[in-house]
Amino acid sequence: MRVKSLEISGFKSFAKKSTFEFGADISAIVGPNGSGKSNVAEALRFVLGEQSLKSMRGKRTEDLIFNGSKSAERQNRAKVTINFDNRDRTFPVDFDEVSIAREIHRDASSEYFLNGSSVRLKDVIELLASVHIGASGHHIISQGEADRILNSSAKDRRAMIEDALGLKIYHWKILESEKKLLKTEENMRQSESLRREIAPHIKFLKKQVEKVEQARTLRDELGAMYGDYLKREETYIKHTREKLHGEKETLERELHVANEALAHADSLRGVQTKESAEVAELVRVRAETGAVRRERDDLGRKIGRLEGMIEYEERRMNAPVEQHEKVVSAEEAENLAQNLYDELGYAEGSEDYLYIKGVVSAMRGKVGKFLEHIRGEQGAQGPSEAALKALDDLRNEHKTLLGSQQNLEDLIMGFEKKMRELEAMLEQKRTETTDAERASFEFRAKKQEITLRLGMVREHIENFARDEVAFREELREGGILVGRSILDYVNMAIEEEQALAEPRAEQESRRKKIERTKIRLEDIMGGGSGEDIMKEYEEAVERDAFLARELEDLKTSAESLRDLMRGLEDELGAQFKDGIKKINKQFGEFFALMFGGGTASLEVAIEKKKKKSDTDIERMLEGGEAMEAQEEEQEEGIEVAVSLPHKKIRGLQMLSGGERALTSIALIFAVSQVNPPPFLVLDETDAALDEANSKKYGDMVATLAKYSQLIVITHNRETMSRAGIIYGVTMGSDAISKLLSIKFEEAEALAK
Ligand code: ATP
């Protein structure tokens, strides 16, 4: 890779487009003072992306644009283009030629082009970095800057050397890692602070969650208590309901029966209070019996009389007897009289109209018959036909009467039987009346007792209804606290008998325990379900875990960044040491060549610097005094050790100006040779050299040109003589730099 050409237009004194073709290993630019040579080196810096105006001797962007002269208009833009030959593909792009251009305007806007396409500065820097070229790099040694490396501090010197050795990339990578580390540490702090922030919340939530868990346990306990209680209560209620209603029904039935029995007993009692039909019947039958008995007795007497009459007739028939008058036996008359007397006597003692009537009617009949008997009887004369007939009649009548008597006897017997029956019946009724009264009394008492018991049962039922209501209420309340699982109580295995056998007080104490648990539960939960808290807690814990993981990840990546940095530093250190070694070899050689002996070397010096610890800084930030710095930061710098031949000179400060320039050149060349840049611009680096040293310088330039393309700005004849191409820069009255390709001889003249 080579710099093929450089086009400058509007940049500083190059008002018009000027093109340098750098076809040789060494190109020299010569010209009088102030003609614009250094502007060429600056144009190179500029096009390679230099951002420091100072290093281009400007204060403002405008200073880089041709400012005009008496005879020339000022320009509004400056543009520099550098063309590289990339046939060897040093640039990792697939072009034979790579051109980079930069254009600026008076408004300070800046544009970059890569092969004509607009690109960003970053793209340019990256592309150049890939070939070890940087804007402020070591490969452009500005006028008077050669001994900058000697004038710098050990630390800066080290930076320069590192840059020249191409080790900047390590610093850049370390810096990147450091930035990442800082960012990572910042993130860690953020995560830690977030964790710290949420920690009390988690702690608070944890307590809440513990409460929720406690409440859950309590709820489970409550559920179990409820299960036991409700199952028992249901058994009790079912059983008690059946029992009470059974009792009620039984008592109601009993009451009904007692009522009926009482009504019956009362009705029986009522019958006995009136004159009974049986008594009337008995009186009637008795009267009738008396009448029939008397009739029978009459009939008996009548039969007796008839028998007497039959006897008499039979005797009369047997002895003739004259009968002229009616004969009435005394017995017959007495019988009648006696009969009347008795009957009427009975009637007299009775108040019964019917009975009296009966007696009167019977008496009339008897008197009538007696009259008939007296009147109808004819005196017989011998056993006449009539007499015989009369006897027959008597006998027939006797027979009839006997039949009637028998009938009456039968009738009497019937009456007597009837009377016995009636009397028995009356006797029974009397007994029954007493029984009914007793029964009435008993049933009344029983009714009272049943009514009393029924009242009690009804009261029980009423009280029990309250138990049922309480049961339902308990079930409802329990459902709210325990949830639907409250209904699982039905599956509880509790021996019914055992449940019913235990005293009611046990249930009551269970209920009280449930009540206490309910209160505790409500106390803990305040009525809430705790789901929200659980969720919030889980989320907070999850977030904390996430942060912890993140923190862990960050720690890991911080650690690996530190590892990476350590690795890079180690690598940098190793490469640096190796580079120093190589440089020293070249440095020593170039130095000895320039000075005709002596030694020179770079030495790594450790600078001890006091460093404030982080804790001190924190303390200071908090307003406190920093403690005496305790840590010492070690910094490796580069010292230049020289020893001139024949002179007892140690240390750079003792060198003359020329000696310093020689030493600088030896060092620059050594560094450039160890890590050759693609091209090297040397702006009057040789200015301070005497003729002998100029010769040596020329030799060194020639050596260096083997490794790097050289562009030298010089007044030095010797240097010019080494160049393949020489450009002359002149400036006329128009104050515009002009370019001309010239021969060595012309150059010499031009340079003077
Ligand atoms: P020497 O040999 O003395 O080092 P030189 O050839 O290196 O000189 P330069 O320093 O490159 O000269 O050029 C300086 C010249 O450029 C000055 O004359 C200055 O006026 C001119 N110059 C610088 N900036 C501008 C600008 N913006 N517009 C016009 N001319 C400028």
Side-chain angles (χ1 to χ4, degrees):
M1 192 267 276
R2 269 181 175 280
V3 180
K4 269 178 82 177
S5 60
L6 181 75
E7 293 164 28
I8 310 175
S9 157
F11 185 82
K12 288 203 163 180
S13 56
F14 289 89
K16 290 181 185 136
K17 184 174 169 181
S18 309
T19 306
F20 294 84
E21 300 283 349
F22 300 117
D25 289 343
I26 302 169
S27 306
I29 297 168
V30 301
N33 290 136
S35 60
K37 299 185 297 296
S38 290
N39 289 345
V40 178
E42 277 154 17
L44 271 161
R45 281 188 190 279
F46 172 78
V47 75
L48 298 178
E50 175 64 270
Q51 297 301 299
S52 157
L53 285 167
K54 197 178 155 213
S55 73
M56 293 182 285
R57 294 179 296 167
K59 278 186 181 144
R60 300 164 302 160
T61 307
E62 272 187 325
D63 297 339
L64 302 181
I65 302 170
F66 179 69
N67 210 23
S69 65
K70 277 181 187 161
S71 55
E73 283 279 302
R74 70 171 194 168
Q75 297 285 328
N76 286 323
R77 60 159 209 161
K79 185 176 184 183
V80 179
T81 308
I82 185 165
N83 298 305
F84 293 96
D85 181 348
N86 191 41
R87 278 175 302 186
D88 60 4
R89 295 290 184 272
T90 307
F91 282 115
V93 288
D94 201 19
F95 293 107
D96 285 345
E97 202 176 297
V98 170
S99 88
I100 296 168
R102 181 180 180 184
E103 187 176 318
I104 51 162
H105 298 263
R106 290 202 175 269
D107 62 5
S109 61
S110 193
E111 267 185 291
Y112 295 88
F113 300 91
L114 187 62
N115 282 5
S117 302
S118 177
V119 289
R120 295 164 302 170
L121 168 64
K122 189 170 170 280
D123 300 321
V124 174
I125 290 172
E126 271 177 20
L127 183 70
L128 294 171
S130 71
V131 294
H132 187 46
I133 305 172
S136 54
H138 52 282
H139 48 91
I140 299 173
I141 311 293
S142 296
Q143 194 174 1
E145 288 248 310
D147 64 349
R148 191 162 64 103
I149 193 159
L150 298 187
N151 298 334
S152 301
S153 69
K155 186 187 159 204
D156 290 346
R157 207 175 284 137
R158 177 181 170 128
M160 285 180 218
I161 300 285
E162 277 177 350
D163 187 18
L165 285 172
L167 300 179
K168 242 187 166 172
I169 185 78
Y170 287 100
H171 280 293
W172 183 79
K173 281 182 182 168
I174 289 168
L175 205 70
E176 284 291 297
S177 303
E178 210 162 51
K179 274 190 208 159
K180 277 188 196 159
L181 185 61
L182 281 174
K183 184 83 198 135
T184 306
E185 282 169 347
E186 173 60 27
N187 289 342
M188 277 164 71
R189 273 193 294 279
Q190 269 177 15
S191 295
E192 272 165 355
S193 127
L194 280 173
R195 283 194 79 191
R196 267 199 302 277
E197 254 171 54
I198 61 173
H201 189 52
I202 288 180
K203 207 173 149 194
F204 168 76
L205 284 174
K206 192 160 188 283
K207 276 204 185 120
Q208 298 293 103
V209 162
E210 274 166 13
K211 270 189 170 184
V212 170
E213 273 162 0
Q214 208 183 333
R216 281 188 177 170
T217 313
L218 211 55
R219 191 176 300 145
D220 289 348
E221 279 173 24
L222 186 64
M225 281 184 214
Y226 257 126
D228 190 31
Y229 172 79
L230 289 172
K231 181 70 182 182
R232 284 169 190 279
E233 195 65 3
E234 194 184 58
T235 308
Y236 158 76
I237 280 172
K238 201 171 144 234
H239 180 265
T240 311
R241 189 196 294 125
E242 278 168 12
K243 191 175 139 249
L244 287 174
H245 284 274
E247 272 174 19
K248 186 179 152 235
E249 273 166 31
T250 309
L251 286 170
E252 277 169 353
R253 252 198 321 276
E254 279 178 15
L255 186 63
H256 183 68
V257 170
N259 273 335
E260 277 190 351
L262 184 62
H264 181 63
D266 281 352
S267 76
L268 281 180
R269 230 159 40 111
V271 167
Q272 295 317 95
T273 54
K274 291 178 274 166
E275 198 65 30
S276 78
E278 280 87 355
V279 172
E281 179 73 357
L282 188 59
V283 170
R284 191 185 63 77
V285 173
R286 244 192 223 138
E288 222 163 289
T289 309
V292 175
R293 263 198 204 117
R294 278 185 299 276
E295 200 177 336
R296 179 202 63 190
D297 290 349
D298 285 351
L299 204 58
R301 278 187 294 273
K302 210 173 182 179
I303 289 167
R305 238 178 1 259
L306 208 53
E307 281 169 353
M309 279 166 76
I310 291 166
E311 203 183 84
Y312 168 74
E313 285 297 325
E314 280 172 343
R315 253 181 293 127
R316 206 170 54 110
M317 236 171 262
N318 290 335
V321 178
E322 277 187 32
Q323 278 194 319
H324 299 293
E325 58 196 282
K326 280 227 178 165
V327 179
V328 175
S329 83
E331 193 188 356
E332 199 176 344
E334 194 195 334
N335 274 349
L336 178 65
Q338 187 62 49
N339 201 238
L340 277 171
Y341 181 82
D342 288 348
E343 288 297 333
L344 289 170
Y346 284 132
E348 193 183 26
S350 174
E351 286 172 3
D352 192 334
Y353 164 73
L354 286 172
Y355 173 66
I356 296 165
K357 201 179 169 211
V359 171
V360 171
S361 139
M363 290 306 105
R364 196 171 167 260
K366 279 177 186 174
V367 173
K369 268 186 185 168
F370 185 70
L371 285 174
E372 207 178 287
H373 171 60
I374 299 170
R375 282 174 193 147
E377 231 163 287
Q378 302 289 327
Q381 291 168 10
S384 62
E385 265 302 302
L388 285 169
K389 189 182 176 291
L391 187 62
D392 256 2
D393 283 348
L394 283 175
R395 282 180 181 141
N396 282 338
E397 194 184 351
H398 182 247
K399 203 177 166 186
T400 306
L401 287 179
L402 279 176
S404 297
Q405 192 185 33
Q406 190 54 48
N407 282 345
L408 287 174
E409 284 297 343
D410 287 350
L411 200 61
I412 288 163
M413 265 166 71
F415 278 144
E416 280 172 351
K417 189 175 173 233
K418 176 88 175 167
M419 276 193 296
R420 273 195 308 277
E421 277 173 9
L422 282 170
E423 268 161 11
M425 214 181 272
L426 279 170
E427 184 53 35
Q428 192 193 342
K429 278 209 169 174
R430 263 191 299 277
T431 318
E432 271 179 9
T433 305
T434 337
D435 282 353
E437 263 167 8
R438 196 182 307 119
S440 172
F441 177 77
E442 273 171 18
F443 286 133
R444 211 172 289 281
K446 185 155 191 189
K447 187 184 160 185
Q448 261 174 11
E449 185 218 320
I450 292 170
T451 310
L452 198 72
R453 273 167 60 202
L454 195 58
M456 276 159 71
V457 168
R458 283 193 177 125
E459 204 180 301
H460 273 167
I461 287 176
E462 233 168 71
N463 288 342
F464 171 69
R466 280 197 283 279
D467 284 351
E468 280 186 300
V469 169
F471 173 77
R472 280 195 296 274
E473 185 57 19
E474 206 62 71
L475 194 59
R476 192 186 66 77
E477 275 185 23
I480 293 169
L481 286 169
V482 176
R484 282 192 63 78
S485 66
I486 189 93
L487 297 173
D488 293 348
Y489 80 89
V490 292
N491 302 323
M492 289 283 291
I494 289 171
E495 195 61 46
E496 199 171 296
E497 253 173 59
Q498 190 266 326
L500 293 171
E502 66 169 27
R504 198 62 190 132
E506 302 260 323
Q507 271 295 78
E508 189 50 30
S509 76
R510 279 189 197 101
R511 204 188 57 73
K512 278 183 183 155
K513 205 170 158 196
I514 284 176
E515 212 49 50
R516 284 197 295 276
T517 311
K518 264 154 75 178
I519 292 167
R520 268 173 68 205
L521 187 60
E522 274 164 5
D523 240 24
I524 293 172
M525 289 318 296
S529 71
E531 292 295 323
D532 289 354
I533 285 165
M534 288 301 256
K535 196 164 167 253
E536 202 182 337
Y537 175 68
E538 273 161 25
E539 278 169 6
V541 166
E542 214 168 274
R543 170 132 180 78
D544 185 58
F546 169 77
L547 287 170
R549 276 200 305 278
E550 196 178 63
L551 201 59
E552 216 38 60
D553 289 351
L554 288 169
K555 273 183 189 160
T556 311
S557 60
E559 206 39 62
S560 57
L561 279 170
R562 284 191 200 101
D563 279 351
L564 179 71
M565 282 160 70
R566 270 193 293 277
L568 286 167
E569 269 158 13
D570 289 352
E571 181 67 15
L572 173 66
Q575 295 246 6
F576 181 67
K577 278 201 175 74
D578 185 52
I580 293 289
K581 217 167 115 188
K582 284 178 180 159
I583 289 169
N584 275 342
K585 187 169 176 283
Q586 297 295 325
F587 189 26
E589 278 176 21
F590 282 130
F591 187 84
L593 181 72
M594 294 292 242
F595 288 97
T599 59
S601 65
L602 297 179
E603 276 164 20
V604 178
I606 292 171
E607 253 184 48
K608 285 190 178 166
K609 256 182 76 177
K610 288 196 174 158
K611 186 192 168 197
K612 288 189 174 20
S613 69
D614 286 350
T615 45
D616 284 340
I617 293 167
E618 276 167 22
R619 202 170 290 126
M620 279 169 78
L621 286 171
E622 283 162 16
E625 278 294 304
M627 282 170 75
E628 260 317 289
Q630 288 160 345
E631 277 183 48
E632 282 189 335
E633 198 179 35
Q634 293 196 341
E635 243 176 29
E636 282 186 348
I638 295 285
E639 293 295 351
V640 185
V642 287
S643 136
L644 295 180
H646 321 299
K647 289 186 181 171
K648 279 188 178 172
I649 285 180
R650 297 243 177 262
L652 292 173
Q653 65 283 0
M654 293 173 80
L655 294 176
S656 74
E659 283 168 347
R660 274 185 86 84
L662 284 173
T663 308
S664 306
I665 289 160
L667 182 53
I668 287 164
F669 280 36
V671 171
S672 298
Q673 198 158 316
V674 167
N675 188 31
F679 64 93
L680 186 63
V681 181
L682 301 167
D683 189 358
E684 297 189 39
T685 315
D686 50 7
L689 304 183
D690 59 19
E691 207 173 323
N693 281 331
S694 293
K695 173 86 179 58
K696 286 172 190 164
Y697 179 81
D699 291 345
M700 274 161 52
V701 163
T703 312
L704 206 60
K706 287 179 196 157
Y707 309 102
S708 301
Q709 184 183 4
L710 294 181
I711 297 165
V712 293
I713 298 166
T714 186
H715 292 287
N716 192 305
R717 185 182 174 280
E718 185 59 41
T719 310
M720 279 181 232
S721 73
R722 310 282 174 151
I725 288 174
I726 304 173
Y727 277 107
V729 179
T730 58
M731 186 180 277
S733 56
D734 56 2
I736 295 172
S737 294
K738 283 179 200 70
L739 193 62
L740 40 133
S741 181
I742 50 171
K743 300 252 162 36
F744 174 65
E745 295 75 25
E746 296 167 315
E748 218 181 351
L750 191 67
K752 292 279 151 57

